[in-house]
Amino acid sequence: MSTASHTTDHGHDHDHDHGPARGLSRWILTTNHKDIGTLYLLFSLAMFFVGGAMALVIRAELFEPGLQVVDPHFFNQMTTLHALVMIFGAVMPAFVGLANWLIPMMVGAPDMALPRMNNWSFWIMPFAFTLLLSTLFMPGGGPAGGWTLYPPLVLQTGSAFPFVILAVHMMGASSIMGAINIIATILNLRAPGMTLMKMPLFVWTWLITAFLLIAVMPVLAGTVTMLLTDKFFGTSFFNAAGGGDPVMFQHIFWFFGHPEVYIMILPAFGVISQIIPTFARKPLFGYASMVYATASIAFLSFIVWAHHMFTVGMPLAGELFFMYATMLIAVPTGVKVFNWVSTMWRGAMTFETPMLFAIAFVILFTIGGFSGLMLAIAPADFQYHDTYFVVAHFHYVLVPGAVFSIMAAAYYWLPKWTGHMYNEKLGKLHFWLSVIGVNVLFFPQHFLGLAGMPRRIPDYALQFTEFNMVSTVGAFLFGFSQLFFLYNVIQTIRGGAKATDQVWEGAEGLEWTLSSPPPYHTFTTAPEIK
Amino acid sequence: MGTREALAVANRRMVRRLLLLTAAMFGFGFALVPLYDVLCEITGLNGKTNGRAVAAVEPMKIDESRTVTVEFVANLNVGAPWEFAPRVTRMQVHPGRFYQTHFLAKNLANQPMTGQAIPSVAPGLAASHFQKIECFCFNRQRFQVGEGKEMPVTFRIDPDLPPDVRTVTLSYTFFRIDDAGG
Ligand code: HEM
Ligand SMILES: [Cu+2]
């Protein structure tokens, strides 16, 4: 507590060279971790609505069998771009934004270790996404072969092809710079006394995620470079006519792709592990086991990639290896779920909006984990692969998983960031509409997949109509409920009841010792850790 | 002041190491290509069968007691304006004996074309037991306008073929490779 007033005073003493610059140049030139965190979060929010609009185009087309709203080629561009925008534009930048805002405040550091690089890694993103979205207007349209960019299909992309690859390179460079910055901050800038095993779990999960990013984003960059040279420079990495093999692309892509899905969920685990103890008013159950579980998930994520390609014709030994390795991941994941539930057990729980989202996360993410286990059964996957069952699986882990955790985080820390309480009634309304919408949207997709409806096709057989209609209704309900979130965030930024420094009765950690909103520069002298 | 400089040095060292790791992983992505090829060559996992004739044709014990079905499949790559089909779609063979069959191809474009057929064998583990001594896939094939050809394959199945394999599929995909100069 003493540190809070100390740093606040310090900030005031030096206001002449420490306050934010004015006008637009503040945001363009800023190297302040709080400004950059805000930029990332706002960018992510914008992309969430762009990607969401694409999803509604997809669901509108699938409301009825037959082709009514868009032509198939445009439908394919929507599925491809929806995924790329949501993964690289909405979920990943949201977590990087949270990292920027929170990690320095949680470890008692004055800023990120490499503030200037921080500025670059953000400002690459708007350019990358302008480029990516502009491909929609190029001859031949945007990429339409799916976000997984499988050759030879992806090589049929029109003029957009090299621009898509360049956009992917730019996003990759941004993520790698962000990851380097986060690792350097956590390893070099912790306040004295903040040992690794005292770090808040959000910091731990981000440290591990950052290493995953550095390990796999370069592999993605490499493999899309191979696509590029195959198309324009006559190489044959994936071209069978020249001795290459298209299946090899899948191996390299998923070597990136599976760790990538954990890049999108480990920081979510961190967020949930911060929120549940606050509202259960109990310390996190099994802190050390949470750290080890996160590390083992990260390690295992490198040896399960071929569960995305059980049907390419692997030998039996390969199928078995990847099946068992995949199932093994459920063990540390189960440890986490167990710890969250145990933290809530006999806690003095209250159910403010962040806690509601966190509890929904625990339940609905677990459903996604179970459908993942079903998919991990190699012989069964021959039936489910490339059907709506897979779509249901990954949306359960990503929407009420990763996206709900981001919303929980926004409600949880928004009072700290802005100094204002958000509108709790509106928050709860947003929660209930979202949680109903998301289930109406994705649960029927399990049934569609089990009955054999293929993914990424704009038309379907008549017997799938009812479930598709239900799913589309859920999609519009979920999509439009997000406007309540937008409105609530804007209102909270502009004003509202004054938030206290601690904000939540049960909140613990260095960030809650600072004023709400925190001064522009915090912890310029390191706090003391008890 | 001293600690601030020490911190700057530590940060620079950290960045250097992490950039090195990034570069190494970029290289690793490319290293996966030869690794994967070597692995597949040793194990024959992905059904890649030799695009070359077997080096030495030693006689093998012919196993009259066993019959294996060999199926033939012909595919065209996108933008390959040929007609392409096997003469027969399946044959019953005894392991160890040589057999010959033909594939038919006809140029449908109004210009001369060069094509190359790429073979593949399923199941993948049978690939290393499928020997070809003569195959149109060993060379590029040049076609005049409207020209049709009957192209031979001579092959045998190694008697060491795992006993649970009763059907082997030999598939060719025909690629257009004019740009390569044929
Ligand atoms: C218990 C943990 C999990 C298991 C066992 C599991 C298993 C699987 C399997 C076997 C597939 C391939 C299905 C197919 O294509 O036939 C798959 C697909 C997928 N999973 Fe999971 N998964 C798990 C958790 C997650 C998590 C946490 C995420 C992300 C947050 C995730 C995201 C995805 C995505 C995006 C795909 C589809 C990729 C595509 O084809 O476009 N999964 N999962
Ligand atoms: Cu996976």
Side-chain angles (χ1 to χ4, degrees):
Chain A
M1 301 288 153
S2 63
T3 51
S5 54
H6 178 85
T7 40
T8 317
D9 291 344
H10 185 88
H12 278 291
D13 286 349
H14 298 272
D15 228 7
H16 50 280
D17 61 355
H18 275 14
R22 285 179 196 289
L24 194 63
S25 64
R26 162 179 177 183
W27 298 105
I28 295 175
L29 301 175
T30 185
T31 58
N32 178 286
H33 74 101
K34 301 185 182 76
D35 283 354
I36 294 175
T38 305
L39 286 171
Y40 265 113
L41 288 167
L42 293 178
F43 176 78
S44 150
L45 190 60
M47 286 299 125
F48 181 57
F49 282 98
V50 171
M54 293 173 173
L56 292 186
V57 172
I58 296 170
R59 281 316 320 170
E61 176 57 54
L62 292 174
F63 183 67
E64 282 180 308
L67 299 175
Q68 25 263 329
V69 185
V70 291
D71 71 86
H73 185 57
F74 188 72
F75 181 91
N76 293 345
Q77 293 173 51
M78 287 294 105
T79 55
T80 306
L81 285 172
H82 160 72
L84 290 171
V85 166
M86 285 303 197
I87 293 170
F88 293 101
V91 173
M92 290 170 69
F95 284 128
V96 180
L98 291 174
N100 260 289
W101 251 107
L102 297 171
I103 289 176
M105 297 200 310
M106 284 178 164
V107 302
D111 203 311
M112 297 295 278
L114 311 154
R116 210 165 293 243
M117 190 160 92
N118 208 7
N119 174 291
W120 295 341
S121 52
F122 172 74
W123 279 106
I124 290 177
M125 295 296 281
F127 291 97
F129 278 87
T130 310
L131 190 62
L132 183 68
L133 294 174
S134 71
T135 60
L136 278 172
F137 306 100
M138 292 180 183
W147 79 280
T148 49
L149 305 173
Y150 282 5
L153 187 58
V154 74
L155 300 176
Q156 293 174 28
T157 309
S159 322
F161 183 70
F163 298 100
V164 175
I165 302 296
L166 181 61
V168 172
H169 276 146
M170 289 164 76
M171 297 164 200
S174 163
S175 307
I176 291 169
M177 286 197 273
I180 290 179
N181 215 338
I182 287 167
I183 294 175
T185 307
I186 297 174
L187 294 186
N188 288 350
L189 257 57
R190 273 171 294 131
M194 175 66 77
T195 58
L196 286 176
M197 289 311 272
K198 273 192 192 159
M199 294 195 309
L201 227 91
F202 179 73
V203 180
W204 253 117
T205 53
W206 243 117
L207 179 64
I208 292 169
T209 304
F211 274 106
L212 281 182
L213 276 167
I214 293 182
V216 301
M217 291 310 280
V219 175
L220 174 69
T223 195
V224 298
T225 306
M226 294 178 213
L227 286 176
L228 197 70
T229 59
D230 267 13
K231 172 116 173 164
F232 294 110
F233 303 107
T235 58
S236 297
F237 288 106
F238 311 124
N239 180 1
D245 187 342
V247 174
M248 180 165 63
F249 176 86
Q250 300 189 22
H251 280 288
I252 305 177
F253 180 88
W254 288 114
F255 183 84
F256 145 81
H258 187 80
E260 167 67 20
V261 307
Y262 283 97
I263 287 166
M264 291 190 283
I265 205 67
L266 293 185
F269 291 168
V271 166
I272 299 304
S273 304
Q274 301 297 130
I275 292 177
I276 288 183
T278 297
F279 295 97
R281 292 168 181 76
K282 274 173 65 191
L284 184 68
F285 185 89
Y287 171 90
S289 69
M290 283 300 217
V291 173
Y292 297 129
T294 311
S296 23
I297 291 176
F299 169 75
L300 288 173
S301 74
F302 285 105
I303 55 163
V304 299
W305 76 88
H307 65 217
H308 294 274
M309 30 193 305
F310 279 137
T311 57
V312 296
M314 267 186 282
L316 189 63
E319 305 261 344
L320 289 175
F321 173 80
F322 286 108
M323 172 166 112
Y324 290 128
T326 302
M327 290 183 167
L328 212 54
I329 295 200
V331 176
T333 312
V335 168
K336 286 186 164 286
V337 173
F338 177 83
N339 285 346
W340 291 321
V341 174
S342 306
T343 307
M344 288 188 266
W345 178 251
R346 298 201 164 154
M349 288 212 281
T350 52
F351 300 95
E352 287 86 346
T353 311
M355 184 62 163
L356 290 175
F357 274 103
I359 294 173
F361 173 98
V362 175
I363 297 167
L364 299 177
F365 173 80
T366 304
I367 294 181
F370 280 135
S371 57
L373 275 174
M374 290 172 70
L375 290 166
I377 304 168
D381 184 67
F382 277 67
Q383 167 74 13
Y384 309 148
H385 181 62
D386 265 346
T387 68
Y388 258 81
F389 192 81
V390 178
V391 176
H393 157 65
F394 66 74
H395 282 94
Y396 261 86
V397 283
L398 284 171
V399 183
V403 172
F404 270 26
S405 83
I406 293 165
M407 286 171 173
Y411 284 112
Y412 184 59
W413 280 292
L414 207 53
K416 171 57 61 191
W417 299 332
T418 62
H420 305 129
M421 287 309 285
Y422 60 86
N423 180 335
E424 186 66 52
K425 271 219 178 72
L426 203 56
K428 289 207 164 109
L429 178 69
H430 170 226
F431 168 76
W432 285 110
L433 290 177
S434 294
V435 83
I436 294 168
V438 90
N439 283 294
V440 175
L441 164 55
F442 292 120
F443 211 82
Q445 296 185 0
H446 290 114
F447 305 133
L448 287 169
L450 292 178
M453 177 171 159
R455 64 192 279 208
R456 293 174 172 164
I457 310 267
D459 190 5
Y460 51 81
L462 289 178
Q463 69 267 31
F464 301 134
T465 310
E466 282 79 9
F467 281 134
N468 270 297
M469 285 186 166
V470 173
S471 181
T472 297
V473 170
F476 278 82
L477 176 63
F478 179 77
F480 282 94
S481 331
Q482 304 318 310
L483 294 174
F484 290 113
F485 177 63
L486 181 67
Y487 177 80
N488 209 347
V489 170
I490 293 172
Q491 287 303 315
T492 312
I493 294 173
R494 294 175 57 179
K498 183 90 191 71
T500 61
D501 290 0
Q502 202 191 0
V503 183
W504 310 107
E505 189 190 47
E508 275 179 38
L510 283 178
E511 79 267 32
W512 307 108
T513 64
L514 298 164
S515 61
S516 301
Y520 197 54
H521 291 280
T522 42
F523 297 131
T524 40
T525 41
E528 286 157 45
I529 315 292
K530 4 169 206 56
Chain B
M1 225 45 203
T3 57
R4 185 176 287 185
E5 267 155 35
L7 184 62
V9 171
N11 281 343
R12 265 203 301 279
R13 181 172 338 118
M14 181 73 72
V15 172
R16 252 199 319 276
R17 283 188 191 162
L18 294 173
L19 281 178
L20 213 65
L21 185 61
T22 306
M25 288 311 294
F26 187 73
F28 178 73
F30 283 86
L32 282 175
V33 176
L35 277 176
Y36 174 81
D37 276 343
V38 168
L39 194 77
C40 289
E41 198 151 312
I42 296 172
T43 57
L45 285 186
N46 67 345
K48 265 195 194 174
T49 163
N50 23 6
R52 275 166 286 117
V54 284
V57 189
E58 282 146 25
M60 283 177 170
K61 200 159 73 38
I62 295 170
D63 186 354
E64 299 273 2
S65 66
R66 186 169 171 202
T67 308
V68 176
T69 307
V70 180
E71 298 179 331
F72 302 99
V73 175
N75 298 300
L76 284 171
N77 195 36
V78 193
W82 272 277
E83 216 173 75
F84 182 44
R87 250 262 290 274
V88 293
T89 52
R90 57 174 60 212
M91 280 168 94
Q92 306 291 331
V93 307
H94 295 303
R97 179 176 295 162
F98 281 109
Y99 295 86
Q100 189 175 57
T101 184
H102 288 84
F103 278 66
L104 309 167
K106 185 172 180 206
N107 179 5
L108 301 179
N110 48 14
Q111 65 189 60
M113 294 274 207
T114 307
Q116 166 85 52
I118 304 291
S120 170
V121 168
L125 287 174
S128 54
H129 300 283
F130 196 92
Q131 301 185 335
K132 299 188 282 322
I133 54 164
E134 183 194 7
C135 178
F136 57 95
C137 61
F138 296 160
N139 302 304
R140 293 170 175 178
Q141 302 288 334
R142 180 134 181 102
F143 291 80
Q144 295 310 319
V145 178
E147 182 185 352
K149 282 193 205 176
E150 193 162 279
M151 306 178 299
V153 200
T154 309
F155 66 92
R156 79 176 162 191
I157 303 247
D158 183 339
D160 289 342
L161 182 75
D164 54 324
V165 179
R166 296 204 192 81
T167 306
V168 175
T169 307
L170 172 64
S171 146
Y172 288 101
T173 304
F174 216 64
F175 288 85
R176 173 182 172 180
I177 50 163
D178 302 303
D179 354 332

